[in-house]
Amino acid sequence: MVMGISLLSPLSRKLNDICFCLLQLDDLTTPIPGGSVSLKSNNPFDPPVIDLNILSSEFDVFALREGIRSARRFLSAPVWGNYTISRISNATTDAELDEYIGKTAGPGLHAVGTAAISPKGAGYGVVDPDLGVKGVRGLRVVDASVLPIVPAGHTQAAVYVVAERAADLIKNSWLQRS
């Protein structure tokens, strides 16, 4: 399973009873290590074991730290002066930023890869290029779980592509039967 890592820091200002909000969202869309989903037991009612593997790479922590610094440089421009009233964290050193990241990092809520697509005949992956579940006849997976990596954008667009491809595959399989 692969999931982006997000840090959320809201900054807001109230003007004439209307609340304007500026969010500093530092997001690492494609972290280096992926997580995993595995079975806890053979009982189908037991929840799965989910390991997001967040911040296990030094590079991921470095990238988030530099993302915070870059966003701060951007928000320090004079144009944002009247909109920025406070920071969530005043951390500035590497150690302080790393501590802040460790306390606030969480999943980006666009998990992919739990049923990753892989080449036909490959010993890894859950579905083949036709979105069929390997070793199961007549079952396809058509959602973000087939994406092997998080797209560098919202997952919705990639899911539309997968769904369109699945629609063509399903339509063609029905046409071949008749």
Side-chain angles (χ1 to χ4, degrees):
M1 175 171 59
V2 182
M3 179 175 284
I5 302 169
S6 296
L7 306 174
L8 189 59
S9 302
L11 306 170
S12 64
R13 173 179 170 243
K14 192 168 181 176
L15 177 68
N16 296 329
D17 295 323
I18 300 172
C19 184
F20 294 93
C21 186
L22 173 66
L23 298 176
Q24 175 187 334
L25 178 61
D26 298 297
D27 186 71
L28 183 61
T29 304
T30 51
I32 290 179
S36 64
V37 177
S38 58
L39 297 177
K40 183 177 184 178
S41 73
N42 62 359
N43 181 345
F45 297 105
D46 281 348
V49 176
I50 300 173
D51 175 13
L52 299 178
N53 207 19
I54 290 178
L55 304 178
S56 61
S57 162
E58 288 182 34
F59 178 79
D60 290 351
V61 176
F62 168 80
L64 285 167
R65 184 185 326 127
E66 294 307 309
I68 291 170
R69 288 183 172 136
S70 177
R72 285 180 176 174
R73 282 191 302 275
F74 176 77
L75 293 172
S76 70
V79 70
W80 300 112
N82 291 331
Y83 291 94
T84 304
I85 59 171
S86 69
R87 279 189 184 168
I88 298 301
S89 171
N90 289 321
T92 55
T93 67
D94 284 0
E96 291 170 337
L97 286 169
D98 291 353
E99 180 182 354
Y100 172 72
I101 290 167
K103 289 179 179 177
T104 61
L109 303 179
H110 297 288
V112 303
T114 54
I117 195 169
S118 62
K120 282 191 187 284
Y124 61 93
V126 176
V127 298
D128 61 31
D130 292 334
L131 304 173
V133 175
K134 293 180 177 184
V136 179
R137 201 174 131 190
L139 178 62
R140 295 180 198 266
V141 176
V142 184
D143 61 23
S145 68
V146 303
L147 302 173
I149 61 168
V150 179
H154 200 287
T155 54
Q156 183 176 359
V159 170
Y160 285 165
V161 171
V162 170
E164 288 291 332
R165 172 80 173 132
D168 287 343
L169 291 166
I170 292 167
K171 179 177 65 176
N172 287 336
S173 72
W174 278 96
L175 291 174
Q176 289 175 359
R177 290 181 187 175
S178 29

